[in-house]
Amino acid sequence: MAAEVRESGGFDRKRLFFVLLGLGLFLIIYYMPPWKDAVDPTGKAFPLSREGKASIALFLMAGIWWVFEVVPIGVTSLAIGVMQALFAIRPAKEAFRDFMDPSVMFIFGSVVIGLAFTKTGLTRRIAYRMLELVGERTSIIVLGSLVLTAGLAHLMAHTAAAATVFPILIAINHLYGEGEKPTKFGKALFIGMAYAAGAGSIITFLGAARGPAAAGMFKEFTGADVGFFDLPKYLFLIGWCMVFIIWGYLMLFLRPEKDRIEGLRDTVRELSSDMGPMSRDEKFVILCLVLVVLGMGLQSFVPALKEWDRAAIMLVSTLLFFLFKVLTIKELEDVPWNIILLFSGAMSIGFCLWKTGAAQWMAVNWLVLFQKAPWMVFVLGIALFVLLMTNFIMNVAAIAISLPVSLVIAKYLGVAPEVILYVSLVTAGMPFLLLIGAAPNAIAYESRQFSTGEFFKHGVPMSIILMVVLAGAVAVLWPLLGMPILIKQQ
C-alpha cells in the first residue's frame, strides 16, 4: 500500500511510475494538435477549445493520482488548482474560488455535525441502542448499519446522513476488538455506509441536490413536472434492492473475520447504562440537526424558502455549536481537512470541465455512438455515461451535460423522456468507484479501514450490478408502475 511505503520512508517505484504516468498523460494531451469537433444528431458542432482539451488532460491526471494515492488525496486536489493556473486552463482566481464553493461548505458543515455527535457522546449512545437491537452477529450488525444509513438518506442530504452515521460506526468498530487495525468487518462497515448512503439518497428529493435540480431541468426541456412522490414511486424498490445487494456482496467478499462479537449485547447494555440520561449538549445537538433537516425539507414545500442556500442552512448548526460552546477550537482542528480539500479539488475540476466545454464535448461524442443502437442499449449508454462522469464531477453537472443531448437522441429512438431522467438519477446517485464521486465515499475513507484502490476494486463489480438492476427496472419494473417507456417516433 502506498501509505505504508510513505510511512516507512522507502523508495516506491510503483508510486513514482503512477506520478510520472499522470504527469506524462497530462503533457501529451495538452500538447496534442486540436481534436475534432463533436457533432450531435441535429448537425450542431461542439468544438473543443485548447482549454477544454487541457481540462480533459488534467481530469485524467487527477484520476490516476487519486486512484493510486501517489500523494495524499487533498494534495492531488491542490495540484488541480495549481495546474489550471500554471497552464492557463482557467484563471487562478476562478480555479481556487471553487475550493470554497457552497457545496464544499455543505460538506464541511456535515462533518462538523458528526464531530458534535462524537463530542457529546450521542454517537456512542445511538451505537449502543442499535447494537442492543441487532445483537451480536457481525453480518446483522453490518446490515443494521446499511439500513440506518439508507433510511437517514431519505430524510436528509446523504452527506449529512453519512456524517451522522460515521462516528456511530467508529464506536461499533471499536467494540469489534481490533483497535484501528483494518479488518474485513471495518471495510464492510464503512464501504457499505458509503454505498448505502447513495442508494438511500435516490429515493426522495431530500436525499441530495441532484433530484430537485434534475427535475427543474426536465421541466425546462419537456414542460413536464416531477412530483414529490414520483421519485419514491419509481426509485424506492431500486434503492432498497441495492441496499440488500450491497449487503450480500459485502458478506460474500468482505465477510467479517468473526461471526459474532461474544458478550456484545451485555457489554453495550452496561455501557449504555453507565452513560446515564441525555445531557443538555446531546439534546441541543439533536435539536440543531432537526432544525437543519426541517429547513431543507420545507424548501420542497414552501416556495419562499427555496432561495435559502443549503450550505447556509447546514452551517447554521456549525455556528450554534460554537456559540453555545458545544464545540471548541480543538474540534475545529480535528476537522479532516484532507477530505475537505478532496472535495474542493473535485469541485474545481468539475467546474473546469463544464466551463471549458470539455464535459459537453465528451457527452455529445459518447451519446451519438448510440443514436442508431437499440433503444435499451441507448438508455443504458446514457446511464453508464452519467455513472462514469459522476465519479469525477458533481452529479448535478453530470446530469446537466448529458440530459439535453440524450433527450434529443431519445426522440429519434422513440424513448420516453421520463426514462432518460430516472436512469440518470439512479446512476448519478451511486458513484461506487472513486472517493470524489460523493461526499459519503470520502467520509468513509476517513476511517482508514480501506485504501482508494480497494474502494475502486469493489466499486467495479458493484457498478456492473447496478447497471443490471437498472436494466431490469427499465424492462420490467417501471412499465408495471405505469411509466411510459417507448413512444411513437416523431
Side-chain angles (χ1 to χ4, degrees), residues 130 133-145 247 251 259:
M130 188 187 103
L133 289 173
V134 300
E136 300 179 347
R137 287 180 57 193
T138 50
S139 59
I140 303 302
I141 292 171
V142 173
L143 178 60
S145 302
W247 176 67
M251 291 304 98
D259 287 334

Short mmCIF file of all heavy atoms in Angstrom, two decimals, residues 130 133-145 247 251 259:
data_model
loop_
_atom_site.label_atom_id
_atom_site.label_comp_id
_atom_site.label_asym_id
_atom_site.label_seq_id
_atom_site.Cartn_x
_atom_site.Cartn_y
_atom_site.Cartn_z
N MET A 130 -28.50 0.71 18.95
CA MET A 130 -28.61 -0.08 17.73
C MET A 130 -28.11 -1.50 17.95
O MET A 130 -28.72 -2.48 17.51
CB MET A 130 -27.82 0.59 16.60
CG MET A 130 -28.04 -0.06 15.24
SD MET A 130 -26.96 0.62 13.98
CE MET A 130 -25.76 -0.69 13.86
N LEU A 133 -30.38 -3.82 19.66
CA LEU A 133 -31.46 -4.31 18.79
C LEU A 133 -30.97 -5.41 17.85
O LEU A 133 -31.63 -6.44 17.68
CB LEU A 133 -32.04 -3.16 17.96
CG LEU A 133 -32.88 -2.13 18.72
CD1 LEU A 133 -33.25 -0.98 17.80
CD2 LEU A 133 -34.16 -2.78 19.26
N VAL A 134 -29.81 -5.20 17.21
CA VAL A 134 -29.38 -6.14 16.17
C VAL A 134 -28.63 -7.35 16.73
O VAL A 134 -28.49 -8.36 16.04
CB VAL A 134 -28.50 -5.44 15.11
CG1 VAL A 134 -29.26 -4.32 14.44
CG2 VAL A 134 -27.20 -4.91 15.70
N GLY A 135 -28.13 -7.27 17.95
CA GLY A 135 -27.49 -8.42 18.56
C GLY A 135 -26.01 -8.53 18.28
O GLY A 135 -25.34 -7.54 17.98
N GLU A 136 -25.50 -9.77 18.34
CA GLU A 136 -24.06 -9.99 18.33
C GLU A 136 -23.51 -10.50 17.00
O GLU A 136 -22.30 -10.55 16.82
CB GLU A 136 -23.70 -10.99 19.45
CG GLU A 136 -24.09 -10.49 20.83
CD GLU A 136 -23.77 -11.50 21.93
OE1 GLU A 136 -23.47 -12.67 21.59
OE2 GLU A 136 -23.79 -11.12 23.12
N ARG A 137 -24.38 -10.90 16.07
CA ARG A 137 -23.91 -11.42 14.79
C ARG A 137 -23.36 -10.27 13.94
O ARG A 137 -24.05 -9.28 13.69
CB ARG A 137 -25.03 -12.14 14.05
CG ARG A 137 -25.39 -13.49 14.65
CD ARG A 137 -26.51 -14.16 13.87
NE ARG A 137 -26.17 -14.34 12.46
CZ ARG A 137 -27.06 -14.66 11.54
NH1 ARG A 137 -28.33 -14.84 11.86
NH2 ARG A 137 -26.68 -14.81 10.29
N THR A 138 -22.13 -10.40 13.48
CA THR A 138 -21.50 -9.30 12.75
C THR A 138 -22.19 -9.01 11.42
O THR A 138 -22.27 -7.86 10.99
CB THR A 138 -20.01 -9.62 12.50
OG1 THR A 138 -19.89 -10.93 11.93
CG2 THR A 138 -19.22 -9.55 13.79
N SER A 139 -22.71 -10.04 10.76
CA SER A 139 -23.38 -9.82 9.48
C SER A 139 -24.64 -8.97 9.66
O SER A 139 -24.94 -8.10 8.83
CB SER A 139 -23.75 -11.15 8.83
OG SER A 139 -24.61 -11.91 9.67
N ILE A 140 -25.36 -9.20 10.76
CA ILE A 140 -26.57 -8.42 11.03
C ILE A 140 -26.22 -7.01 11.49
O ILE A 140 -26.94 -6.04 11.21
CB ILE A 140 -27.46 -9.13 12.09
CG1 ILE A 140 -27.81 -10.54 11.61
CG2 ILE A 140 -28.74 -8.35 12.34
CD1 ILE A 140 -28.53 -10.59 10.27
N ILE A 141 -25.09 -6.86 12.16
CA ILE A 141 -24.63 -5.52 12.55
C ILE A 141 -24.35 -4.68 11.30
O ILE A 141 -24.74 -3.52 11.20
CB ILE A 141 -23.37 -5.60 13.43
CG1 ILE A 141 -23.72 -6.22 14.79
CG2 ILE A 141 -22.74 -4.22 13.63
CD1 ILE A 141 -22.51 -6.54 15.65
N VAL A 142 -23.68 -5.30 10.31
CA VAL A 142 -23.41 -4.59 9.05
C VAL A 142 -24.73 -4.23 8.36
O VAL A 142 -24.90 -3.10 7.89
CB VAL A 142 -22.53 -5.45 8.12
CG1 VAL A 142 -22.41 -4.79 6.74
CG2 VAL A 142 -21.15 -5.65 8.72
N LEU A 143 -25.67 -5.17 8.32
CA LEU A 143 -26.97 -4.89 7.70
C LEU A 143 -27.68 -3.74 8.41
O LEU A 143 -28.23 -2.84 7.76
CB LEU A 143 -27.84 -6.15 7.72
CG LEU A 143 -29.26 -5.99 7.15
CD1 LEU A 143 -29.21 -5.55 5.70
CD2 LEU A 143 -30.05 -7.29 7.31
N GLY A 144 -27.66 -3.75 9.75
CA GLY A 144 -28.30 -2.68 10.50
C GLY A 144 -27.68 -1.33 10.20
O GLY A 144 -28.39 -0.32 10.08
N SER A 145 -26.37 -1.31 10.01
CA SER A 145 -25.67 -0.06 9.68
C SER A 145 -26.10 0.46 8.31
O SER A 145 -26.32 1.66 8.12
CB SER A 145 -24.16 -0.28 9.70
OG SER A 145 -23.73 -0.75 10.96
N TRP A 247 -25.27 -5.37 0.80
CA TRP A 247 -25.01 -6.20 1.98
C TRP A 247 -24.59 -7.61 1.57
O TRP A 247 -23.62 -8.15 2.10
CB TRP A 247 -26.26 -6.25 2.86
CG TRP A 247 -26.13 -7.15 4.05
CD1 TRP A 247 -25.31 -6.98 5.12
CD2 TRP A 247 -26.84 -8.38 4.29
NE1 TRP A 247 -25.47 -8.02 6.02
CE2 TRP A 247 -26.41 -8.89 5.53
CE3 TRP A 247 -27.82 -9.07 3.58
CZ2 TRP A 247 -26.90 -10.07 6.06
CZ3 TRP A 247 -28.32 -10.25 4.10
CH2 TRP A 247 -27.86 -10.74 5.34
N MET A 251 -20.98 -9.38 2.37
CA MET A 251 -20.87 -10.63 3.12
C MET A 251 -20.20 -11.73 2.31
O MET A 251 -19.66 -12.69 2.87
CB MET A 251 -22.27 -11.09 3.57
CG MET A 251 -22.91 -10.19 4.63
SD MET A 251 -21.88 -9.99 6.12
CE MET A 251 -21.08 -8.41 5.78
N ASP A 259 -17.72 -14.30 13.33
CA ASP A 259 -19.16 -14.42 13.08
C ASP A 259 -19.97 -13.68 14.13
O ASP A 259 -21.06 -13.17 13.85
CB ASP A 259 -19.59 -15.89 13.06
CG ASP A 259 -19.11 -16.59 11.80
OD1 ASP A 259 -18.91 -15.89 10.77
OD2 ASP A 259 -18.92 -17.82 11.84
#
